[in-house]
Amino acid sequence: MKIGIIGVGKMATAIIQGLKPLEIELLISQSHYDKTKKVAKALGVAPAKSHQELIEASDLVILGIKPQQFPDVLKPLTMTKPVMSMAAGITLSDLATLTSKKIPLIRIMPNLNAQIGKSTTAICFNDLVDEDLKGLAMTITNAFGHSFEISEEAFDTFTALAGSSPAYLYQFIEAMVAAGEKEGFDAKLALTIVSQTFLASSQMLLESQETPRDLITKIASPGGTTQAGLDSLKENHFSETIKTAIDATIKKAKNI
């Protein structure tokens, strides 16, 4: 099995790192061969002299280029192999138009956590993707995290829940660290404490059969310190603010 990757940015690099333990041969191409050779050497993969050469040599082509580059990169190429795209805003229909071929098409949406092999990735397929290719695609995306097959219509909501949400979580963590500093904690220590707490709390949700509300109830005693904090969050419309942020993200994604 040989997989070709056109354009190697941070996300494509994360995919390459995830695939290295598998018995898959990797081939890359960049805008210029000299650049391709340099990047290929650094990543321990094979370089292709051109995008077209990569296509002809590969069983599956992954597009790691930016959305705005798709027309200029794809139109000169003869795409004859299945394609996997990770570009935001580029639909399966867009891909079909740009490749001008009736070929199997796969769309994925990883998130930043791919860089540590923990991406939450959405995946969908056109009607030409058979079960074997679906299995290969899921193997690829699971190599750098966890994958969820969803309808393409749900991708905008997924963007909010998994793609953009790490930024909201980081802002929440940043605020908690600032509160700790205000009370005399060292910033690095506060960040470690809060980050570890977030990690363990997520694991608790995944490993237990309990809902977030179940766990909130376990922690918060009536009239206690946790309840005082929860009351403050409610007074400041915390839940409504989060929902509004998700709505704004989805609205923006639909209008890109």
Side-chain angles (χ1 to χ4, degrees):
M1 173 62 61
K2 183 179 288 187
I3 293 175
I5 303 176
I6 296 177
V8 184
K10 291 181 179 179
M11 198 62 72
T13 298
I15 292 174
I16 289 170
Q17 298 299 341
L19 292 176
K20 277 190 173 181
L22 306 180
E23 293 183 3
I24 294 175
E25 186 177 350
L26 297 172
L27 183 68
I28 69 166
S29 63
Q30 298 276 69
S31 55
H32 303 289
Y33 186 48
D34 286 343
K35 184 178 180 181
T36 299
K37 288 191 293 183
K38 183 178 179 180
V39 173
K41 183 177 181 181
L43 294 175
V45 297
K49 291 182 180 178
S50 67
H51 296 333
Q52 193 63 52
E53 179 183 90
L54 178 142
I55 293 166
E56 293 168 3
S58 301
D59 298 299
L60 170 69
V61 177
I62 298 176
L63 300 176
I65 54 178
K66 296 177 180 179
Q68 61 268 28
Q69 296 175 312
F70 269 60
D72 290 340
V73 172
L74 292 182
K75 284 186 178 179
L77 301 175
T78 301
M79 190 66 73
T80 56
K81 303 296 174 64
V83 172
M84 175 183 284
S85 167
M86 67 181 83
I90 303 294
T91 66
L92 292 174
S93 178
D94 294 331
L95 276 176
T97 299
L98 289 167
T99 55
S100 302
K101 293 282 185 180
K102 290 186 177 181
I103 56 176
L105 299 173
I106 303 160
R107 183 182 175 193
I108 68 171
M109 183 172 290
N111 67 11
L112 181 67
N113 296 329
Q115 294 183 23
I116 59 168
K118 299 290 185 180
S119 177
T120 305
T121 302
I123 186 167
C124 65
F125 312 92
N126 74 354
D127 293 338
L128 297 176
V129 177
D130 61 25
E131 290 304 315
D132 287 342
L133 184 53
K134 280 188 179 182
L136 172 62
M138 295 292 282
T139 296
I140 291 170
T141 52
N142 285 333
F144 55 91
H146 292 86
S147 309
F148 299 88
E149 182 179 352
I150 62 174
S151 68
E152 188 171 31
E153 290 74 20
F155 262 50
D156 292 333
T157 301
F158 183 90
T159 297
L161 295 180
S164 301
S165 64
Y168 313 149
L169 295 174
Y170 294 142
Q171 185 162 345
F172 187 22
I173 289 170
E174 185 178 61
M176 292 183 70
V177 170
E181 284 187 272
K182 178 174 173 288
E183 297 300 325
F185 266 81
D186 172 78
K188 186 175 181 180
L189 176 59
L191 178 59
T192 301
I193 291 170
V194 175
S195 298
Q196 184 61 43
T197 303
F198 263 70
L199 176 62
S201 299
S202 296
Q203 289 177 329
M204 176 72 83
L205 279 172
L206 291 172
E207 294 175 13
S208 73
Q209 298 299 313
E210 297 178 286
T211 67
R213 179 51 51 187
D214 291 333
L215 296 171
I216 289 170
T217 301
K218 281 188 173 183
I219 299 168
S221 301
T225 55
T226 303
Q227 191 59 53
L230 290 171
D231 289 344
S232 176
L233 289 175
K234 185 175 181 179
E235 288 170 10
N236 287 282
H237 310 290
F238 178 76
S239 294
E240 290 75 12
T241 298
I242 297 300
K243 292 173 186 176
T244 301
I246 296 299
D247 289 343
T249 305
I250 294 170
K251 183 178 179 180
K252 181 65 176 180
K254 289 183 181 299
N255 289 297
I256 290 178

